[in-house]
Amino acid sequence: MKKILFLLTGLDYAGAENQVVQLCRALRARNYTVHLISMVRPSAYIDELEEMDVNIQTLHMRKGIADPRAIFRLKRMIVDYRPDVIHSHMVHANLLARLTRVFVHIPLLICTAHSINEGGVLRNLLYRMTDPFCDLTTNVSQEAVNRYIEIKAAPEHKIVYMPNGINMERFIRSEEDGQSIREELQLGEGFIWTAAGRLAPEKDYETMLKAFAQVLLKFPDSKLLIAGIGPLRGALEELCHILEIAPSVRFLGIRSDISRLMSVADAYVLSSKWEGLPMVLLEASASSLPIVATDVGGNREVVREGINGYLAPAGHPESLAVCMLRMMAHSSSTLAEMGRAGREYVSRTYNINTIVERWERIYEQEDIRPLSS
């Protein structure tokens, strides 16, 4: 029975963390022992992980503050747990794991990036300098892998594309759930757009709201549901008032029933400035929703133009609105067909069972050559 240690920058309600929780569940089902360490105090998924018998620890770091003592805290935890594999996720955890390997034996270290953009020149330089201390870097989209090679954040022979995976059974569209949410939120009978994600600058909800203001000029009964929390909520609510669209936009906060929320929607919209491979696009596709998204990162690896959705340039409300209006002009049967095409594609390409089998081959060192001891 292999012992896997996941090291994360934090444990919050976000795409990378969601993916790690899914990996924990799938690995536990395969009788792996799984341990998880969060650099900062965890704030999400705790009960769910404990139910899986995943041990959770924290390094008690503070966001935005470098603390070299964390290296030695992590070293002690590694010595106590003696993992066969350490799998770190996101830039801060990746760098910490690499530096800690200088002080403690780690049989195999895998570092996963979840975005095409994890920071500027300094972080890319740190990735390059610490690369000798990891066995393999992965990223969640091919576009991101290509970018990391281009900027020399990782050498071509030590970085591979490993997409996120999704449990298809957790996202099955339910008319009953959809009607229940429609009544709960008093949404009426108009077209419903759904969006989910942290209310942060990189998600560029400002562009989404400006695009939706244009949509409302032609479809005044439509609604936009936004699930998530973040530092920009107040500013975004104020923008809704400035744009005079506040009655048509619902900020729902954290929702533990995203699959039900997907069931009420007619289509999904994403306006990010940059991405890796967004879990939420996989969830929307698994829920049989057609998608409008910005053409950044790995989005075009999920959204196939004209088949299950449309792509718009980032930061351009007018183009995003054109794509949304194009989607809304379709008949219900065409929307359903686009949704089916998206679900079938995601099931073939991103099913969590297939993805975990690929991770197992890496953990078993069948696909890579580990560092010399």
Side-chain angles (χ1 to χ4, degrees):
M1 182 188 296
K2 275 198 175 291
K3 298 167 70 174
I4 310 295
L5 189 157
F6 286 111
L7 176 67
L8 284 75
T9 301
L11 193 56
D12 204 342
Y13 290 109
E17 293 90 331
N18 179 320
Q19 180 62 187
V20 172
V21 171
Q22 290 205 50
L23 289 177
C24 287
R25 182 181 294 107
L27 290 168
R28 288 294 296 128
R30 288 164 169 78
N31 293 320
Y32 282 74
T33 301
V34 182
H35 192 97
L36 188 148
I37 298 174
S38 174
M39 292 171 62
V40 301
R41 186 181 180 89
S43 60
Y45 299 112
I46 297 171
D47 292 341
E48 190 172 346
L49 288 163
E50 288 178 346
E51 287 176 5
M52 299 177 208
D53 198 24
V54 173
N55 189 30
I56 307 170
Q57 289 183 283
T58 178
L59 298 176
H60 296 290
M61 298 180 71
R62 297 171 62 188
K63 290 183 178 181
I65 300 177
D67 185 355
R69 294 173 300 177
I71 293 174
F72 300 99
R73 294 189 197 115
L74 179 58
K75 174 188 172 182
R76 286 195 297 271
M77 292 176 184
I78 293 170
V79 170
D80 290 342
Y81 182 57
R82 300 178 63 186
D84 298 297
V85 179
I86 293 182
H87 187 172
S88 59
H89 291 259
M90 298 175 285
V91 60
H92 298 96
N94 291 339
L95 294 174
L96 177 61
R98 294 175 179 193
L99 292 174
T100 303
R101 198 176 198 182
V102 176
F103 301 96
V104 64
H105 174 65
I106 298 174
L108 186 67
L109 175 59
I110 312 297
C111 298
T112 292
H114 286 262
S115 179
I116 199 168
N117 178 11
E118 287 192 302
V121 175
L122 177 59
R123 288 185 182 178
N124 293 336
L125 178 62
L126 290 173
Y127 261 143
R128 198 178 312 164
M129 292 173 61
T130 60
D131 179 76
F133 301 119
C134 82
D135 294 289
L136 186 72
T137 297
T138 76
N139 210 318
V140 296
S141 75
Q142 186 61 54
E143 187 74 16
V145 168
N146 296 342
R147 174 63 175 163
Y148 274 52
I149 294 170
E150 177 187 343
I151 63 177
K152 296 181 170 58
E156 185 173 1
H157 69 283
K158 283 184 63 180
I159 184 169
V160 298
Y161 163 53
M162 273 293 298
N164 289 331
I166 185 167
N167 184 340
M168 298 296 295
E169 295 177 2
R170 293 169 66 93
F171 292 91
I172 298 176
R173 190 171 181 83
S174 164
E175 294 299 328
E176 181 180 347
D177 283 344
Q179 187 59 37
S180 173
I181 291 285
R182 190 179 288 270
E183 293 172 359
E184 173 192 329
L185 299 178
Q186 298 180 332
L187 297 175
E189 298 302 321
F191 196 102
I192 297 176
W193 289 93
T194 293
R198 185 166 169 75
L199 307 182
E202 64 270 19
K203 301 302 180 182
D204 197 11
Y205 282 102
E206 180 178 341
T207 287
M208 183 188 298
L209 293 174
K210 289 179 179 178
F212 186 61
Q214 297 179 44
V215 166
L216 284 173
L217 296 177
K218 292 192 175 182
F219 294 92
D221 293 333
S222 57
K223 299 289 190 299
L224 172 62
L225 310 181
I226 300 176
I229 59 174
L232 296 185
R233 176 162 179 168
L236 294 173
E237 289 179 326
E238 178 62 25
L239 179 59
C240 286
H241 288 290
I242 293 171
L243 296 172
E244 300 182 345
I245 63 173
S248 300
V249 180
R250 306 286 179 83
F251 289 92
L252 305 179
I254 288 291
R255 297 286 299 210
S256 60
D257 59 348
I258 292 297
S259 62
R260 292 181 68 236
L261 201 61
M262 295 289 187
S263 291
V264 76
D266 294 293
Y268 189 87
V269 59
L270 182 144
S271 55
S272 299
K273 294 178 181 177
W274 63 81
E275 284 287 356
L277 181 74
M279 279 298 301
V280 72
L281 289 189
L282 300 184
E283 293 170 353
S285 293
S287 303
S288 301
L289 284 181
I291 297 168
V292 168
T294 45
D295 190 7
V296 297
N299 289 357
R300 65 168 43 245
E301 295 171 26
V302 179
V303 182
R304 296 172 299 158
E305 184 73 21
I307 298 175
N308 70 317
Y310 300 109
L311 294 164
H316 201 281
E318 293 78 11
S319 296
L320 191 66
V322 166
C323 289
M324 294 173 74
L325 289 167
R326 185 179 180 189
M327 185 72 77
M328 297 172 80
H330 288 313
S331 66
S332 58
S333 60
T334 299
L335 293 174
E337 179 55 36
M338 294 177 76
R340 281 193 296 271
R343 179 174 171 83
E344 290 170 3
Y345 176 69
V346 164
S347 181
R348 289 195 309 270
T349 313
Y350 301 102
N351 192 300
I352 188 65
N353 295 320
T354 302
I355 301 304
V356 169
E357 287 172 3
R358 292 178 60 184
W359 278 122
E360 285 189 287
R361 290 196 294 272
I362 289 177
Y363 295 159
E364 297 292 342
Q365 303 180 29
E366 295 175 6
D367 290 349
I368 63 172
R369 184 186 301 276
L371 290 175
S372 301
S373 300

